[in-house]
Amino acid sequence: MENEKMQINLAPGMESATIKVIELDKENVLPVLEPLKVGLNGTIGSVAEFLTKRKSEPEQINQKRCHILVNRENMTIKLITNETDGRNKAEVQGSLAMYPKFVEFGINSVEKTWEPAQLSRFIKMNRAFFTDIAYNMELVSILKNFKASIDSKLERSNEDNGSRTDNYSQVVNSNLPAAFNLNIPIFKGRSAEVIEVEIIADVDGRNIRLSLCSPGAEVVIEQERNKAIDEQLKIIRELTPEIPIIEQ
């Protein structure tokens, strides 16, 4: 800096200024960082959407260095790019998610049970999913005033020859309807389905728990799951025919 001249403009009223110069021994170079790992999760169409936008970028989508994993049980499609490059590998996963309100009903869930009054309040607040509003109001009243009669029989005997009888039977008569209909989506982003829902009562003395069962819903889940996944795989094959698709 010996031969360099520096010009300083002082503000009005200032007669002098002090300049402090610091010389660095090393160049001020930014550190080299590892590339950020890409891990994306979205709806079932996420992989097809990602490929649509990125397939023209060969440094990211080399079809011979990518593969797709399909898990129908978990309802997922996962894309792996740069599969042999630990620094630049990326994963994009799309999932078929259950519709939140369908999950709240607890249909076909072994863990979800209701007290009659509790189910009455829930059904009342979710009247929009019933195909018949008048029947919804009737069902709310029935559950709110649930009545059941229990006829129990116990038979026990021991014979001299060693024969033994130990029988217990219980018959429950209640005012519960056999079933009702819902018009509700089962998966996010899919259309609503009309399904028949049965009410199952588990009575143990004064303890009464209700559960909701729908064989029809299970059929729809199986069909819609495969339909949604197959639709996406068809799109992916058309976009990137050289990427192998592996069913797990």
Tab-separated table of all heavy atoms in Angstrom, residues 18-78:
chain	number	residue	atom	x	y	z
A	18	THR	N	-8.659	9.657	11.779
A	18	THR	CA	-7.682	8.607	12.043
A	18	THR	C	-8.065	7.371	11.239
A	18	THR	O	-9.224	6.929	11.265
A	18	THR	CB	-7.658	8.247	13.538
A	18	THR	OG1	-7.289	9.414	14.284
A	18	THR	CG2	-6.643	7.144	13.807
A	19	ILE	N	-7.104	6.830	10.533
A	19	ILE	CA	-7.327	5.643	9.714
A	19	ILE	C	-6.524	4.492	10.292
A	19	ILE	O	-5.329	4.618	10.552
A	19	ILE	CB	-6.906	5.874	8.248
A	19	ILE	CG1	-7.723	7.026	7.645
A	19	ILE	CG2	-7.099	4.593	7.429
A	19	ILE	CD1	-7.280	7.385	6.259
A	20	LYS	N	-7.191	3.344	10.518
A	20	LYS	CA	-6.537	2.151	11.035
A	20	LYS	C	-6.563	1.080	9.955
A	20	LYS	O	-7.629	0.691	9.485
A	20	LYS	CB	-7.260	1.653	12.292
A	20	LYS	CG	-6.536	0.499	12.969
A	20	LYS	CD	-7.249	0.119	14.256
A	20	LYS	CE	-6.501	-1.014	14.966
A	20	LYS	NZ	-7.186	-1.393	16.234
A	21	VAL	N	-5.406	0.613	9.547
A	21	VAL	CA	-5.286	-0.386	8.487
A	21	VAL	C	-4.837	-1.701	9.105
A	21	VAL	O	-3.844	-1.746	9.855
A	21	VAL	CB	-4.284	0.064	7.415
A	21	VAL	CG1	-4.146	-1.024	6.341
A	21	VAL	CG2	-4.723	1.386	6.797
A	22	ILE	N	-5.573	-2.792	8.843
A	22	ILE	CA	-5.232	-4.127	9.345
A	22	ILE	C	-4.911	-5.018	8.153
A	22	ILE	O	-5.711	-5.149	7.223
A	22	ILE	CB	-6.402	-4.731	10.150
A	22	ILE	CG1	-6.728	-3.834	11.348
A	22	ILE	CG2	-6.074	-6.150	10.605
A	22	ILE	CD1	-7.932	-4.296	12.142
A	23	GLU	N	-3.710	-5.574	8.147
A	23	GLU	CA	-3.312	-6.475	7.079
A	23	GLU	C	-3.503	-7.918	7.534
A	23	GLU	O	-3.091	-8.292	8.636
A	23	GLU	CB	-1.849	-6.239	6.686
A	23	GLU	CG	-1.624	-4.874	6.048
A	23	GLU	CD	-0.230	-4.752	5.484
A	23	GLU	OE1	0.434	-5.814	5.365
A	23	GLU	OE2	0.192	-3.634	5.140
A	24	LEU	N	-4.135	-8.737	6.705
A	24	LEU	CA	-4.375	-10.135	7.012
A	24	LEU	C	-3.307	-11.007	6.369
A	24	LEU	O	-2.898	-10.765	5.225
A	24	LEU	CB	-5.760	-10.561	6.510
A	24	LEU	CG	-6.953	-9.790	7.098
A	24	LEU	CD1	-8.245	-10.250	6.429
A	24	LEU	CD2	-7.036	-9.992	8.610
A	25	ASP	N	-2.863	-12.016	7.134
A	25	ASP	CA	-1.857	-12.924	6.598
A	25	ASP	C	-2.445	-13.863	5.547
A	25	ASP	O	-1.767	-14.322	4.645
A	25	ASP	CB	-1.241	-13.754	7.735
A	25	ASP	CG	-0.446	-12.868	8.701
A	25	ASP	OD1	0.034	-11.813	8.249
A	25	ASP	OD2	-0.331	-13.243	9.889
A	26	LYS	N	-3.760	-14.212	5.709
A	26	LYS	CA	-4.399	-15.144	4.800
A	26	LYS	C	-5.549	-14.468	4.085
A	26	LYS	O	-6.151	-13.518	4.600
A	26	LYS	CB	-4.917	-16.368	5.558
A	26	LYS	CG	-3.814	-17.170	6.246
A	26	LYS	CD	-4.397	-18.379	6.966
A	26	LYS	CE	-3.296	-19.182	7.644
A	26	LYS	NZ	-3.850	-20.358	8.362
A	27	GLU	N	-5.863	-14.992	2.919
A	27	GLU	CA	-6.991	-14.454	2.173
A	27	GLU	C	-8.291	-14.793	2.888
A	27	GLU	O	-8.423	-15.850	3.506
A	27	GLU	CB	-7.026	-15.050	0.761
A	27	GLU	CG	-5.859	-14.622	-0.105
A	27	GLU	CD	-6.002	-15.145	-1.517
A	27	GLU	OE1	-7.153	-15.449	-1.906
A	27	GLU	OE2	-4.993	-15.249	-2.197
A	28	ASN	N	-9.247	-13.892	2.803
A	28	ASN	CA	-10.558	-14.098	3.434
A	28	ASN	C	-11.433	-14.930	2.489
A	28	ASN	O	-12.225	-14.418	1.715
A	28	ASN	CB	-11.209	-12.749	3.726
A	28	ASN	CG	-12.479	-12.903	4.529
A	28	ASN	OD1	-12.725	-13.960	5.099
A	28	ASN	ND2	-13.280	-11.858	4.553
A	29	VAL	N	-11.268	-16.269	2.566
A	29	VAL	CA	-11.970	-17.187	1.662
A	29	VAL	C	-13.081	-17.904	2.422
A	29	VAL	O	-12.867	-18.387	3.534
A	29	VAL	CB	-10.996	-18.230	1.074
A	29	VAL	CG1	-11.741	-19.194	0.143
A	29	VAL	CG2	-9.870	-17.531	0.344
A	30	LEU	N	-14.271	-17.954	1.852
A	30	LEU	CA	-15.383	-18.648	2.486
A	30	LEU	C	-15.121	-20.157	2.518
A	30	LEU	O	-14.569	-20.716	1.566
A	30	LEU	CB	-16.683	-18.382	1.723
A	30	LEU	CG	-17.205	-16.937	1.765
A	30	LEU	CD1	-18.442	-16.817	0.875
A	30	LEU	CD2	-17.540	-16.524	3.191
A	31	PRO	N	-15.505	-20.821	3.621
A	31	PRO	CA	-15.267	-22.263	3.712
A	31	PRO	C	-16.112	-23.040	2.699
A	31	PRO	O	-17.205	-22.616	2.325
A	31	PRO	CB	-15.704	-22.605	5.144
A	31	PRO	CG	-16.685	-21.530	5.495
A	31	PRO	CD	-16.194	-20.290	4.797
A	32	VAL	N	-15.591	-24.174	2.258
A	32	VAL	CA	-16.310	-25.046	1.324
A	32	VAL	C	-17.268	-25.924	2.131
A	32	VAL	O	-16.834	-26.650	3.034
A	32	VAL	CB	-15.347	-25.909	0.504
A	32	VAL	CG1	-16.124	-26.857	-0.409
A	32	VAL	CG2	-14.387	-25.040	-0.295
A	33	LEU	N	-18.540	-25.844	1.847
A	33	LEU	CA	-19.555	-26.598	2.582
A	33	LEU	C	-20.035	-27.795	1.774
A	33	LEU	O	-20.042	-27.768	0.537
A	33	LEU	CB	-20.748	-25.693	2.916
A	33	LEU	CG	-20.455	-24.448	3.763
A	33	LEU	CD1	-21.732	-23.636	3.946
A	33	LEU	CD2	-19.879	-24.831	5.120
A	34	GLU	N	-20.435	-28.849	2.497
A	34	GLU	CA	-21.013	-30.016	1.842
A	34	GLU	C	-22.372	-29.651	1.244
A	34	GLU	O	-23.082	-28.798	1.799
A	34	GLU	CB	-21.203	-31.154	2.854
A	34	GLU	CG	-19.921	-31.858	3.248
A	34	GLU	CD	-19.352	-32.658	2.094
A	34	GLU	OE1	-20.100	-33.432	1.473
A	34	GLU	OE2	-18.149	-32.496	1.800
A	35	PRO	N	-22.761	-30.240	0.121
A	35	PRO	CA	-24.089	-29.957	-0.441
A	35	PRO	C	-25.193	-30.387	0.516
A	35	PRO	O	-25.048	-31.362	1.248
A	35	PRO	CB	-24.116	-30.792	-1.726
A	35	PRO	CG	-23.075	-31.843	-1.530
A	35	PRO	CD	-22.013	-31.229	-0.670
A	36	LEU	N	-26.261	-29.623	0.524
A	36	LEU	CA	-27.386	-29.938	1.390
A	36	LEU	C	-28.096	-31.193	0.904
A	36	LEU	O	-28.312	-31.378	-0.293
A	36	LEU	CB	-28.373	-28.766	1.434
A	36	LEU	CG	-27.860	-27.459	2.049
A	36	LEU	CD1	-28.912	-26.370	1.921
A	36	LEU	CD2	-27.494	-27.662	3.515
A	37	LYS	N	-28.449	-32.065	1.854
A	37	LYS	CA	-29.178	-33.271	1.505
A	37	LYS	C	-30.642	-32.928	1.206
A	37	LYS	O	-31.259	-32.164	1.940
A	37	LYS	CB	-29.124	-34.284	2.651
A	37	LYS	CG	-27.720	-34.731	3.029
A	37	LYS	CD	-27.074	-35.545	1.920
A	37	LYS	CE	-25.707	-36.044	2.346
A	37	LYS	NZ	-25.025	-36.786	1.262
A	38	VAL	N	-31.163	-33.498	0.135
A	38	VAL	CA	-32.555	-33.262	-0.237
A	38	VAL	C	-33.390	-34.442	0.258
A	38	VAL	O	-33.159	-35.589	-0.117
A	38	VAL	CB	-32.717	-33.108	-1.762
A	38	VAL	CG1	-34.191	-32.962	-2.129
A	38	VAL	CG2	-31.933	-31.906	-2.248
A	39	GLY	N	-34.355	-34.156	1.129
A	39	GLY	CA	-35.281	-35.161	1.622
A	39	GLY	C	-36.672	-34.564	1.685
A	39	GLY	O	-36.970	-33.793	2.593
A	40	LEU	N	-37.503	-34.868	0.705
A	40	LEU	CA	-38.817	-34.247	0.597
A	40	LEU	C	-39.923	-35.274	0.827
A	40	LEU	O	-39.811	-36.417	0.385
A	40	LEU	CB	-38.990	-33.611	-0.794
A	40	LEU	CG	-37.921	-32.586	-1.212
A	40	LEU	CD1	-38.179	-32.111	-2.630
A	40	LEU	CD2	-37.891	-31.400	-0.251
A	41	ASN	N	-40.956	-34.851	1.518
A	41	ASN	CA	-42.132	-35.697	1.739
A	41	ASN	C	-43.381	-34.921	1.360
A	41	ASN	O	-43.535	-33.753	1.759
A	41	ASN	CB	-42.218	-36.128	3.208
A	41	ASN	CG	-41.162	-37.145	3.575
A	41	ASN	OD1	-41.282	-38.313	3.262
A	41	ASN	ND2	-40.105	-36.689	4.230
A	42	GLY	N	-44.260	-35.553	0.615
A	42	GLY	CA	-45.481	-34.863	0.207
A	42	GLY	C	-46.596	-35.845	-0.100
A	42	GLY	O	-46.600	-36.984	0.358
A	43	THR	N	-47.549	-35.390	-0.887
A	43	THR	CA	-48.686	-36.225	-1.257
A	43	THR	C	-48.255	-37.274	-2.281
A	43	THR	O	-47.114	-37.274	-2.758
A	43	THR	CB	-49.813	-35.368	-1.844
A	43	THR	OG1	-49.334	-34.701	-3.028
A	43	THR	CG2	-50.279	-34.319	-0.841
A	44	ILE	N	-49.167	-38.156	-2.631
A	44	ILE	CA	-48.835	-39.286	-3.484
A	44	ILE	C	-48.318	-38.851	-4.859
A	44	ILE	O	-47.576	-39.576	-5.516
A	44	ILE	CB	-50.070	-40.215	-3.664
A	44	ILE	CG1	-49.661	-41.588	-4.233
A	44	ILE	CG2	-51.148	-39.542	-4.484
A	44	ILE	CD1	-48.810	-42.399	-3.298
A	45	GLY	N	-48.640	-37.631	-5.297
A	45	GLY	CA	-48.183	-37.149	-6.605
A	45	GLY	C	-46.854	-36.428	-6.571
A	45	GLY	O	-46.414	-35.890	-7.597
A	46	SER	N	-46.165	-36.414	-5.428
A	46	SER	CA	-44.939	-35.623	-5.282
A	46	SER	C	-43.807	-36.098	-6.189
A	46	SER	O	-43.067	-35.288	-6.752
A	46	SER	CB	-44.475	-35.645	-3.824
A	46	SER	OG	-45.424	-35.030	-2.993
A	47	VAL	N	-43.637	-37.411	-6.322
A	47	VAL	CA	-42.545	-37.927	-7.151
A	47	VAL	C	-42.745	-37.541	-8.609
A	47	VAL	O	-41.812	-37.079	-9.285
A	47	VAL	CB	-42.430	-39.458	-6.999
A	47	VAL	CG1	-41.459	-40.031	-8.037
A	47	VAL	CG2	-41.962	-39.813	-5.594
A	48	ALA	N	-43.956	-37.709	-9.127
A	48	ALA	CA	-44.241	-37.342	-10.519
A	48	ALA	C	-44.043	-35.844	-10.732
A	48	ALA	O	-43.495	-35.416	-11.763
A	48	ALA	CB	-45.667	-37.751	-10.888
A	49	GLU	N	-44.458	-35.033	-9.766
A	49	GLU	CA	-44.287	-33.582	-9.874
A	49	GLU	C	-42.811	-33.215	-9.887
A	49	GLU	O	-42.382	-32.354	-10.672
A	49	GLU	CB	-44.991	-32.901	-8.692
A	49	GLU	CG	-44.862	-31.392	-8.648
A	49	GLU	CD	-45.613	-30.689	-9.757
A	49	GLU	OE1	-46.457	-31.334	-10.404
A	49	GLU	OE2	-45.346	-29.489	-9.983
A	50	PHE	N	-42.021	-33.845	-9.030
A	50	PHE	CA	-40.583	-33.574	-8.968
A	50	PHE	C	-39.916	-33.937	-10.288
A	50	PHE	O	-39.107	-33.173	-10.829
A	50	PHE	CB	-39.965	-34.364	-7.819
A	50	PHE	CG	-38.525	-34.043	-7.553
A	50	PHE	CD1	-38.170	-32.977	-6.745
A	50	PHE	CD2	-37.520	-34.824	-8.114
A	50	PHE	CE1	-36.833	-32.692	-6.494
A	50	PHE	CE2	-36.185	-34.541	-7.872
A	50	PHE	CZ	-35.846	-33.472	-7.061
A	51	LEU	N	-40.241	-35.096	-10.829
A	51	LEU	CA	-39.636	-35.529	-12.090
A	51	LEU	C	-40.045	-34.627	-13.245
A	51	LEU	O	-39.252	-34.359	-14.151
A	51	LEU	CB	-40.027	-36.973	-12.380
A	51	LEU	CG	-39.386	-38.040	-11.476
A	51	LEU	CD1	-40.000	-39.399	-11.737
A	51	LEU	CD2	-37.877	-38.078	-11.679
A	52	THR	N	-41.284	-34.148	-13.230
A	52	THR	CA	-41.756	-33.250	-14.286
A	52	THR	C	-40.904	-31.993	-14.362
A	52	THR	O	-40.539	-31.526	-15.443
A	52	THR	CB	-43.229	-32.874	-14.048
A	52	THR	OG1	-44.027	-34.052	-14.060
A	52	THR	CG2	-43.733	-31.921	-15.119
A	53	LYS	N	-40.554	-31.451	-13.199
A	53	LYS	CA	-39.812	-30.191	-13.143
A	53	LYS	C	-38.301	-30.385	-13.269
A	53	LYS	O	-37.587	-29.479	-13.694
A	53	LYS	CB	-40.113	-29.472	-11.823
A	53	LYS	CG	-41.578	-29.087	-11.640
A	53	LYS	CD	-42.025	-28.058	-12.665
A	53	LYS	CE	-43.373	-27.435	-12.323
A	53	LYS	NZ	-44.467	-28.397	-12.267
A	54	ARG	N	-37.772	-31.553	-12.892
A	54	ARG	CA	-36.313	-31.721	-12.812
A	54	ARG	C	-35.723	-32.705	-13.817
A	54	ARG	O	-34.502	-32.845	-13.878
A	54	ARG	CB	-35.939	-32.194	-11.397
A	54	ARG	CG	-36.338	-31.225	-10.293
A	54	ARG	CD	-35.535	-29.937	-10.367
A	54	ARG	NE	-35.955	-29.012	-9.345
A	54	ARG	CZ	-35.518	-29.020	-8.075
A	54	ARG	NH1	-34.662	-29.951	-7.707
A	54	ARG	NH2	-35.934	-28.124	-7.212
A	55	LYS	N	-36.530	-33.407	-14.580
A	55	LYS	CA	-35.985	-34.446	-15.461
A	55	LYS	C	-35.043	-33.876	-16.526
A	55	LYS	O	-34.204	-34.603	-17.071
A	55	LYS	CB	-37.110	-35.215	-16.141
A	55	LYS	CG	-37.904	-34.398	-17.153
A	55	LYS	CD	-38.911	-35.278	-17.883
A	55	LYS	CE	-39.657	-34.482	-18.952
A	55	LYS	NZ	-40.574	-35.342	-19.727
A	56	SER	N	-35.146	-32.579	-16.832
A	56	SER	CA	-34.280	-31.961	-17.839
A	56	SER	C	-32.928	-31.552	-17.273
A	56	SER	O	-32.081	-31.036	-18.006
A	56	SER	CB	-34.979	-30.723	-18.430
A	56	SER	OG	-35.243	-29.766	-17.409
A	57	GLU	N	-32.678	-31.772	-15.965
A	57	GLU	CA	-31.409	-31.415	-15.336
A	57	GLU	C	-30.585	-32.695	-15.138
A	57	GLU	O	-30.752	-33.399	-14.144
A	57	GLU	CB	-31.650	-30.720	-14.003
A	57	GLU	CG	-32.455	-29.431	-14.136
A	57	GLU	CD	-32.668	-28.736	-12.806
A	57	GLU	OE1	-31.912	-29.042	-11.854
A	57	GLU	OE2	-33.573	-27.905	-12.719
A	58	PRO	N	-29.689	-33.014	-16.083
A	58	PRO	CA	-28.969	-34.297	-16.039
A	58	PRO	C	-28.088	-34.465	-14.806
A	58	PRO	O	-27.826	-35.587	-14.382
A	58	PRO	CB	-28.141	-34.276	-17.330
A	58	PRO	CG	-28.037	-32.832	-17.706
A	58	PRO	CD	-29.304	-32.189	-17.243
A	59	GLU	N	-27.606	-33.369	-14.221
A	59	GLU	CA	-26.762	-33.506	-13.035
A	59	GLU	C	-27.565	-33.994	-11.820
A	59	GLU	O	-27.008	-34.509	-10.860
A	59	GLU	CB	-26.074	-32.176	-12.698
A	59	GLU	CG	-26.970	-31.073	-12.153
A	59	GLU	CD	-27.733	-30.332	-13.247
A	59	GLU	OE1	-27.546	-30.682	-14.429
A	59	GLU	OE2	-28.489	-29.403	-12.907
A	60	GLN	N	-28.884	-33.842	-11.887
A	60	GLN	CA	-29.720	-34.307	-10.783
A	60	GLN	C	-30.510	-35.559	-11.156
A	60	GLN	O	-30.666	-36.463	-10.339
A	60	GLN	CB	-30.696	-33.218	-10.334
A	60	GLN	CG	-31.495	-33.608	-9.090
A	60	GLN	CD	-32.235	-32.427	-8.508
A	60	GLN	OE1	-32.763	-31.601	-9.242
A	60	GLN	NE2	-32.281	-32.346	-7.186
A	61	ILE	N	-31.036	-35.611	-12.371
A	61	ILE	CA	-31.822	-36.766	-12.802
A	61	ILE	C	-31.108	-37.475	-13.937
A	61	ILE	O	-31.283	-37.174	-15.118
A	61	ILE	CB	-33.246	-36.338	-13.252
A	61	ILE	CG1	-33.953	-35.580	-12.147
A	61	ILE	CG2	-34.045	-37.573	-13.661
A	61	ILE	CD1	-34.209	-36.384	-10.890
A	62	ASN	N	-30.222	-38.399	-13.564
A	62	ASN	CA	-29.634	-39.343	-14.514
A	62	ASN	C	-30.429	-40.634	-14.330
A	62	ASN	O	-30.287	-41.326	-13.316
A	62	ASN	CB	-28.153	-39.559	-14.206
A	62	ASN	CG	-27.512	-40.567	-15.144
A	62	ASN	OD1	-28.199	-41.289	-15.868
A	62	ASN	ND2	-26.195	-40.630	-15.132
A	63	GLN	N	-31.288	-40.960	-15.280
A	63	GLN	CA	-32.227	-42.061	-15.106
A	63	GLN	C	-31.539	-43.390	-14.807
A	63	GLN	O	-32.118	-44.252	-14.154
A	63	GLN	CB	-33.122	-42.196	-16.344
A	63	GLN	CG	-34.057	-41.003	-16.551
A	63	GLN	CD	-35.071	-41.253	-17.637
A	63	GLN	OE1	-35.664	-42.327	-17.725
A	63	GLN	NE2	-35.276	-40.259	-18.489
A	64	LYS	N	-30.299	-43.541	-15.243
A	64	LYS	CA	-29.582	-44.787	-14.983
A	64	LYS	C	-28.945	-44.791	-13.592
A	64	LYS	O	-28.311	-45.781	-13.205
A	64	LYS	CB	-28.523	-45.012	-16.067
A	64	LYS	CG	-29.127	-45.200	-17.457
A	64	LYS	CD	-28.069	-45.560	-18.459
A	64	LYS	CE	-28.679	-45.715	-19.855
A	64	LYS	NZ	-29.673	-46.800	-19.904
A	65	ARG	N	-29.087	-43.715	-12.871
A	65	ARG	CA	-28.560	-43.630	-11.507
A	65	ARG	C	-29.678	-43.318	-10.507
A	65	ARG	O	-29.430	-42.796	-9.433
A	65	ARG	CB	-27.461	-42.553	-11.424
A	65	ARG	CG	-26.217	-42.877	-12.229
A	65	ARG	CD	-25.470	-44.072	-11.638
A	65	ARG	NE	-24.265	-44.397	-12.399
A	65	ARG	CZ	-24.225	-45.282	-13.361
A	65	ARG	NH1	-25.333	-45.950	-13.703
A	65	ARG	NH2	-23.102	-45.543	-14.013
A	66	CYS	N	-30.910	-43.627	-10.899
A	66	CYS	CA	-32.069	-43.401	-10.025
A	66	CYS	C	-32.875	-44.693	-9.915
A	66	CYS	O	-32.773	-45.587	-10.767
A	66	CYS	CB	-32.980	-42.306	-10.592
A	66	CYS	SG	-32.206	-40.695	-10.793
A	67	HIS	N	-33.662	-44.797	-8.886
A	67	HIS	CA	-34.640	-45.885	-8.799
A	67	HIS	C	-35.816	-45.434	-7.939
A	67	HIS	O	-35.719	-44.472	-7.174
A	67	HIS	CB	-34.020	-47.185	-8.263
A	67	HIS	CG	-33.546	-47.095	-6.844
A	67	HIS	ND1	-32.266	-46.708	-6.504
A	67	HIS	CD2	-34.175	-47.346	-5.665
A	67	HIS	CE1	-32.117	-46.726	-5.191
A	67	HIS	NE2	-33.269	-47.111	-4.653
A	68	ILE	N	-36.928	-46.153	-8.071
A	68	ILE	CA	-38.160	-45.825	-7.349
A	68	ILE	C	-38.608	-47.044	-6.565
A	68	ILE	O	-38.637	-48.165	-7.099
A	68	ILE	CB	-39.259	-45.362	-8.318
A	68	ILE	CG1	-38.909	-43.974	-8.877
A	68	ILE	CG2	-40.629	-45.334	-7.635
A	68	ILE	CD1	-39.823	-43.512	-9.979
A	69	LEU	N	-38.949	-46.835	-5.287
A	69	LEU	CA	-39.433	-47.897	-4.416
A	69	LEU	C	-40.926	-47.682	-4.157
A	69	LEU	O	-41.338	-46.579	-3.790
A	69	LEU	CB	-38.665	-47.897	-3.088
A	69	LEU	CG	-37.147	-48.077	-3.182
A	69	LEU	CD1	-36.518	-47.928	-1.806
A	69	LEU	CD2	-36.797	-49.422	-3.798
A	70	VAL	N	-41.707	-48.740	-4.339
A	70	VAL	CA	-43.153	-48.670	-4.128
A	70	VAL	C	-43.530	-49.604	-2.981
A	70	VAL	O	-43.230	-50.794	-3.022
A	70	VAL	CB	-43.930	-49.071	-5.404
A	70	VAL	CG1	-45.434	-48.993	-5.159
A	70	VAL	CG2	-43.520	-48.182	-6.575
A	71	ASN	N	-44.178	-49.046	-1.971
A	71	ASN	CA	-44.655	-49.849	-0.836
A	71	ASN	C	-46.155	-49.662	-0.739
A	71	ASN	O	-46.634	-48.639	-0.234
A	71	ASN	CB	-43.962	-49.413	0.461
A	71	ASN	CG	-44.231	-50.371	1.612
A	71	ASN	OD1	-45.353	-50.843	1.794
A	71	ASN	ND2	-43.211	-50.655	2.402
A	72	ARG	N	-46.907	-50.635	-1.234
A	72	ARG	CA	-48.360	-50.492	-1.270
A	72	ARG	C	-48.975	-50.587	0.134
A	72	ARG	O	-49.992	-49.952	0.410
A	72	ARG	CB	-48.976	-51.554	-2.194
A	72	ARG	CG	-48.616	-51.327	-3.654
A	72	ARG	CD	-49.219	-52.353	-4.585
A	72	ARG	NE	-48.773	-52.132	-5.954
A	72	ARG	CZ	-49.411	-51.369	-6.837
A	72	ARG	NH1	-50.545	-50.775	-6.494
A	72	ARG	NH2	-48.933	-51.207	-8.061
A	73	GLU	N	-48.362	-51.366	0.994
A	73	GLU	CA	-48.901	-51.485	2.354
A	73	GLU	C	-48.811	-50.160	3.108
A	73	GLU	O	-49.744	-49.756	3.805
A	73	GLU	CB	-48.145	-52.572	3.120
A	73	GLU	CG	-48.687	-52.823	4.515
A	73	GLU	CD	-47.982	-53.953	5.221
A	73	GLU	OE1	-47.185	-54.674	4.565
A	73	GLU	OE2	-48.218	-54.129	6.426
A	74	ASN	N	-47.665	-49.475	2.949
A	74	ASN	CA	-47.496	-48.166	3.592
A	74	ASN	C	-48.005	-47.028	2.724
A	74	ASN	O	-47.944	-45.862	3.133
A	74	ASN	CB	-46.026	-47.928	3.937
A	74	ASN	CG	-45.528	-48.871	4.999
A	74	ASN	OD1	-46.295	-49.352	5.833
A	74	ASN	ND2	-44.236	-49.175	4.974
A	75	MET	N	-48.444	-47.361	1.495
A	75	MET	CA	-49.024	-46.391	0.559
A	75	MET	C	-48.033	-45.280	0.219
A	75	MET	O	-48.340	-44.085	0.283
A	75	MET	CB	-50.328	-45.810	1.124
A	75	MET	CG	-51.387	-46.857	1.376
A	75	MET	SD	-52.991	-46.214	1.975
A	75	MET	CE	-52.538	-45.608	3.601
A	76	THR	N	-46.786	-45.670	-0.146
A	76	THR	CA	-45.752	-44.695	-0.461
A	76	THR	C	-45.071	-44.998	-1.788
A	76	THR	O	-44.975	-46.157	-2.208
A	76	THR	CB	-44.667	-44.654	0.635
A	76	THR	OG1	-44.057	-45.952	0.745
A	76	THR	CG2	-45.260	-44.255	1.974
A	77	ILE	N	-44.589	-43.929	-2.454
A	77	ILE	CA	-43.739	-44.013	-3.635
A	77	ILE	C	-42.515	-43.150	-3.339
A	77	ILE	O	-42.642	-41.964	-3.040
A	77	ILE	CB	-44.455	-43.491	-4.895
A	77	ILE	CG1	-45.714	-44.314	-5.189
A	77	ILE	CG2	-43.520	-43.526	-6.096
A	77	ILE	CD1	-46.530	-43.773	-6.353
A	78	LYS	N	-41.328	-43.755	-3.408
A	78	LYS	CA	-40.104	-43.021	-3.073
A	78	LYS	C	-39.130	-43.024	-4.245
A	78	LYS	O	-38.813	-44.066	-4.811
A	78	LYS	CB	-39.420	-43.620	-1.846
A	78	LYS	CG	-38.136	-42.885	-1.434
A	78	LYS	CD	-37.388	-43.606	-0.336
A	78	LYS	CE	-38.124	-43.499	0.980
A	78	LYS	NZ	-37.307	-44.077	2.091
